Amino acid sequence: MLLSRDYKKIAKESLRGRWGLGVGTGLVAGLLGAAIRNNLSFDLTSYGDNAAVLSDAEYDSAMQQAEAFLESDLFQTILPVLVGIVSVVCIYLLVVLFIGGAVTLSYAQFNLNLADDNDPRFSDLFSHFNRKWEGFCMQFFRGMMILLWSMLFVIPGIIASYRYAMTPYILAENYDLSVMEAISESKRLMRGNKWKLFTLDVSFIWWILLSNLTLGIALLWVSPYQEAARAAFYREITEQRYSRPHVETEWTL
């Protein structure tokens, strides 16, 4: 049985001489909305008791200042710029929503090609662009299931995120599977393997802390490293080769 250090060793071997390709592909994938790691967490203490409470006088003063700023010449000058920025952001979010799932499948394919030493290329990032609807449904249903479990508490949500973690890899390699069949197959594959993948993610904690110290710059290298390790993990739990899987007919959370 392989350990976290073994997956990381495989990832480093896969990226040797390809770090530029891995960093560049990962950066573009992130900008286009790829989300292979679909982990959710919530700060349950962010609201309620910690919310700031304004007095009536403070509220009236704040509203008067806001109205004065909205009527000022400065606001009228920067208003077209703000409208432009908001419009660009909205368009970007719509594009990401539309193609993010397909990019996720394509990025999973890239990392599998990397792990297999199967001539990984930047163009792999667009290899599943014809599956936009499947990608969207995958992101929607996987996210919905994780969210439903997270409503119970944080821990069930985290467990669910690991339960469905292999869905992008499975769907990327199996065109004949539906989204729900791929989700069910991920659930089957991860029985007894969720803790194993969790420890692999935890083993990157020092790299993530380093990324925070470098204002996220180091994350450009850490993310491809982690994604390559996850692809190696997938290959190991599927015994290197993925043939037609046994798919459960009962779709449960």
Side-chain angles (χ1 to χ4, degrees):
M1 178 180 294
L2 298 182
L3 302 176
S4 295
R5 63 173 178 268
D6 299 313
Y7 300 122
K8 294 167 79 173
K9 182 179 179 180
I10 294 172
K12 284 188 287 188
E13 288 295 326
S14 300
L15 286 165
R16 179 172 296 177
R18 296 171 175 151
W19 278 102
L21 175 64
V23 171
T25 305
L27 176 61
V28 175
L31 292 174
L32 293 179
I36 293 183
R37 296 192 303 274
N38 198 0
N39 299 336
L40 295 182
S41 61
F42 299 93
D43 183 359
L44 300 179
T45 63
S46 298
Y47 305 98
D49 294 339
N50 294 331
V53 178
L54 298 178
S55 65
D56 291 341
E58 290 172 332
Y59 177 79
D60 291 339
S61 176
M63 289 300 296
Q64 290 174 3
Q65 292 177 14
E67 291 174 359
F69 174 70
L70 293 176
E71 295 173 357
S72 67
D73 293 336
L74 174 61
F75 179 76
Q76 297 303 319
T77 301
I78 66 174
L79 181 59
V81 177
L82 294 176
V83 172
I85 293 174
V86 171
S87 299
V88 169
V89 170
C90 289
I91 293 173
Y92 170 74
L93 292 176
L94 288 174
V95 170
V96 167
L97 179 66
F98 181 62
I99 69 172
V103 176
T104 298
L105 292 176
S106 299
Y107 191 43
Q109 186 68 64
F110 169 80
N111 282 291
L112 290 175
N113 289 341
L114 193 67
D116 295 340
D117 196 20
N118 187 27
D119 191 22
R121 300 181 180 183
F122 178 78
S123 58
D124 292 338
L125 197 55
F126 308 97
S127 58
H128 291 271
F129 254 49
N130 62 331
R131 305 176 72 189
K132 296 181 183 66
W133 177 245
E134 289 176 272
F136 173 80
C137 290
M138 176 191 69
Q139 298 291 70
F140 175 79
F141 287 113
R142 187 170 63 138
M144 180 184 68
M145 290 178 177
I146 295 172
L147 179 61
L148 290 175
W149 279 107
S150 298
M151 288 179 177
L152 298 178
F153 202 60
V154 176
I155 300 301
I158 294 174
I159 293 174
S161 71
Y162 283 96
R163 181 180 296 134
Y164 309 123
M166 298 295 103
T167 305
Y169 304 103
I170 296 169
L171 202 59
E173 291 201 300
N174 295 267
Y175 282 78
D176 57 333
L177 291 185
S178 70
V179 169
M180 295 306 299
E181 286 173 335
I183 289 174
S184 293
E185 176 60 9
S186 176
K187 177 183 175 182
R188 185 188 72 83
L189 282 175
M190 292 304 290
R191 285 177 185 150
N193 288 313
K194 289 186 285 292
W195 178 254
K196 197 174 180 181
L197 182 57
F198 176 76
T199 57
L200 174 60
D201 286 343
V202 170
S203 71
F204 284 92
I205 187 67
W206 297 113
W207 289 105
I208 294 173
L209 290 175
L210 176 63
S211 299
N212 293 333
L213 293 176
T214 59
L215 301 179
I217 295 175
L219 199 61
L220 292 174
W221 285 266
V222 176
S223 290
Y225 184 18
Q226 190 170 9
E227 295 296 351
R230 275 197 163 210
F233 172 86
Y234 169 78
R235 276 291 180 239
E236 195 267 335
I237 67 171
T238 54
E239 298 179 350
Q240 303 301 320
R241 291 296 174 189
Y242 200 95
S243 57
R244 291 182 61 84
H246 164 71
V247 178
E248 296 177 356
T249 57
E250 182 181 355
W251 296 338
T252 60
L253 295 181

